[in-house]
Amino acid sequence: MTFYGNNRTVSMLNRFIDRQELPQSVLITGPSGVGKTTLALHLSMYLLCKDRTDGAACGRCISCLRIQSNEHPEVAIIEPDGELTKIWQLWTRSGHAPGALDSLSYRPVLGNWRVVIITAAHTFNDESANSILKVLEEPPPYVQFFLCTTSQSAVLPTIASRCFSVPVPPLPTQLIATMLQTDHNVEPSLAEELAKSSAGCPGRAIRAKDDTEVSIIRDRAAAWVSDFLQGSRNQIYTYAESLRGIVPKSSPDASSRQSVTKGIQAVADAFGKQLSSTTNSVDALMDCVALSMQAAHAVQRNGNQQIVTEALVAKLSKRCHRR
Ligand SMILES: [Zn+2]
């Protein structure tokens, strides 16, 4: 996990960690998408790394790997539930999953710290804000809090006054363009364009990149359906290959053409429904495209479009439910 920009801030905080002087309640402030949660994760990695050297976490130890995959059991990340960060997310309340802060009374087992990252401290309602004042004021000696918020004035003064404030200003445009090219494989001209409109916030640039990719995939899918219905098979195969290389070049014989067409239509309908639902991740879309392509291929080979398309619809709806 590379954290871009604000080098002086990061090295200052790392030095605090080296000297075991990092205040236990840190308030990270900055505009939306600037990288506050990423900074909190970056610092958590450094804090918990089993093998840190030269002011950097190793990125390879079990602790670093678990944090990078959001699976560290002693690093709690609390995101708002809708518009608000609610009391039951913090402390266990009947009818809800266990609250993330109840475990703070137990010493950590895997490392020396339990870390709590609150991604939007300005979304606390009064009840949740008041409920954490005491633990922010006097955390157990093994607890580290990172509270992220858009500005210091956006949180209650009673919270801000208990925290050490770390401002994260926007990044230079060129740095964001470099990040998009290096970490996200964005081609240079698009990277420049996205960076310019990100207002110095890498998170916004990444979201805009995802939106752009989703709209490209949507356009291609629409073109795919339309091409197929007009009987332009070669274009479909080219498109399919460019996505996953799933459909081979061999064309079905004329007699199976009708059933294939019906099958693909059903596939396209299911795919269209999937696209128009809440999906917004490129991977999810690619996954559905791949399923549709596999189904199209299967229809093409055995002609039993009903079984194949029913299976496809079942798979797609299963994926819809999972999200
Ligand atoms: Zn490590």
Side-chain angles (χ1 to χ4, degrees), residues 14 21 38-39 51-52 90 93 127 129 142 163 184 268 289:
N14 282 355
E21 286 173 357
T38 310
L39 176 60
D51 191 21
R52 63 187 190 225
L90 308 175
R93 294 287 185 271
E127 189 185 25
Y142 47 81
C163 296
H184 299 275
V289 171

Side-chain angles (χ1 to χ4, degrees), residues 45 48-52 57-65:
M45 241 166 87
L48 288 166
C49 180
K50 311 272 186 203
D51 191 21
R52 63 187 190 225
C58 74
R60 294 180 308 272
C61 69
I62 183 73
S63 173
C64 284
L65 293 175

Side-chain angles (χ1 to χ4, degrees), residues 20-187:
Q20 302 183 3
E21 286 173 357
L22 183 68
Q24 282 177 264
S25 300
V26 173
L27 183 67
I28 303 175
T29 64
S32 162
V34 79
K36 302 180 293 293
T37 304
T38 310
L39 176 60
L41 286 166
H42 192 81
L43 294 168
S44 308
M45 241 166 87
Y46 191 64
L47 188 67
L48 288 166
C49 180
K50 311 272 186 203
D51 191 21
R52 63 187 190 225
T53 43
D54 297 334
C58 74
R60 294 180 308 272
C61 69
I62 183 73
S63 173
C64 284
L65 293 175
R66 280 175 163 165
I67 291 176
Q68 288 176 92
S69 56
N70 277 347
E71 286 170 351
H72 198 300
E74 290 170 354
V75 176
I77 302 172
I78 306 173
E79 296 178 316
D81 176 54
E83 301 284 301
L84 294 173
T85 301
K86 296 170 185 164
I87 188 95
W88 58 263
Q89 296 181 267
L90 308 175
W91 310 102
T92 301
R93 294 287 185 271
S94 71
H96 294 285
L101 303 189
D102 278 320
S103 61
L104 297 189
S105 22
Y106 307 105
R107 299 194 74 85
V109 181
L110 303 175
N112 296 325
W113 294 93
R114 282 190 185 276
V115 178
V116 178
I117 299 173
I118 292 168
T119 65
H122 49 280
T123 64
F124 278 141
N125 58 17
D126 286 351
E127 189 185 25
S128 6
N130 290 326
S131 80
I132 66 159
L133 293 180
K134 190 167 177 295
V135 72
L136 277 183
E137 176 90 48
E138 280 183 73
Y142 47 81
V143 171
Q144 177 67 49
F145 277 102
F146 295 110
L147 275 64
C148 306
T149 183
T150 46
S151 75
Q152 193 162 340
S153 59
V155 295
L156 290 178
T158 43
I159 288 188
S161 67
R162 285 166 167 79
C163 296
F164 173 72
S165 185
V166 175
V168 182
L171 272 53
T173 304
Q174 193 48 51
L175 189 60
I176 295 179
T178 305
M179 174 210 71
L180 289 170
Q181 289 175 65
T182 313
D183 290 1
H184 299 275
N185 293 322
V186 179
E187 49 112 344

Side-chain angles (χ1 to χ4, degrees), residues 235-247:
Q235 273 174 289
I236 300 160
Y237 295 141
T238 310
Y239 169 61
E241 280 164 24
S242 75
L243 285 170
R244 287 273 169 104
I246 289 165
V247 179

